[in-house]
Amino acid sequence: AYRILSSALEDPGDSSCFVLLYSNKRDDDILLRDELDELARRHPRRFRLWYTVSRQSRESARRWPFSTGRVDLAMIRDHIPQGGDGECFVGLCGPPGFIDRTCLPALRHHGFDLDCIGVF
């Protein structure tokens, strides 16, 4: 996914916009964090990046500017544009239970059709 995202953002002929809601157990589990932060910094109009972690030490929680907790409908509403316009694609990656019981129901409730959701 990172290669697709970085290639599209670096292509001057591509005007696609992206939102990445990236969930991990702890902030030090985030893969490619420096690279993603740099893409978000360089492309603020085309790439919105939001992290959430489900576990944190008290020390890291004091300086964590993003969400804490599991992905749910409220978090999706806060960080992902409303679906239903047929112009969006949602890519999901994670454990099957997380995708089937959490992400898919929340995304459907947020207006996304299953046709525009891909699971990796």
Side-chain angles (χ1 to χ4, degrees):
Y2 173 77
R3 293 261 186 226
I4 294 168
L5 177 64
S6 61
S7 293
L9 289 171
E10 299 300 332
D11 181 348
D14 191 333
S15 61
S16 301
C17 295
F18 301 89
V19 177
L20 176 59
L21 177 56
Y22 197 175
S23 175
N24 284 271
K25 287 185 181 178
R26 296 181 316 264
D27 60 338
D28 58 356
D29 292 333
I30 299 170
L31 298 176
L32 298 169
R33 182 168 181 191
D34 292 339
E35 293 86 345
L36 291 168
D37 289 345
E38 179 63 17
L39 285 175
R41 187 191 65 73
R42 287 197 343 250
H43 304 280
R45 294 180 193 197
R46 294 184 52 214
F47 180 41
R48 291 188 316 185
L49 174 62
W50 193 258
Y51 300 109
T52 185
V53 294
S54 56
R55 298 182 191 148
Q56 273 188 310
S57 68
R58 289 179 198 242
E59 179 61 33
S60 65
R62 284 189 218 122
R63 54 181 167 37
W64 181 248
F66 300 100
S67 296
T68 301
R70 296 181 183 268
V71 173
D72 59 13
L73 178 58
M75 193 178 293
I76 287 172
R77 279 187 188 143
D78 288 347
H79 300 288
I80 297 178
Q82 181 76 33
D85 64 5
E87 295 292 317
C88 293
F89 171 77
V90 177
L92 299 174
C93 181
F98 170 68
I99 290 172
D100 294 339
R101 291 188 300 270
T102 302
C103 297
L104 290 175
L107 288 165
R108 284 194 301 261
H109 191 271
H110 196 52
F112 288 95
D113 293 325
L114 288 178
D115 295 351
C116 70
I117 300 173
V119 179
F120 304 96

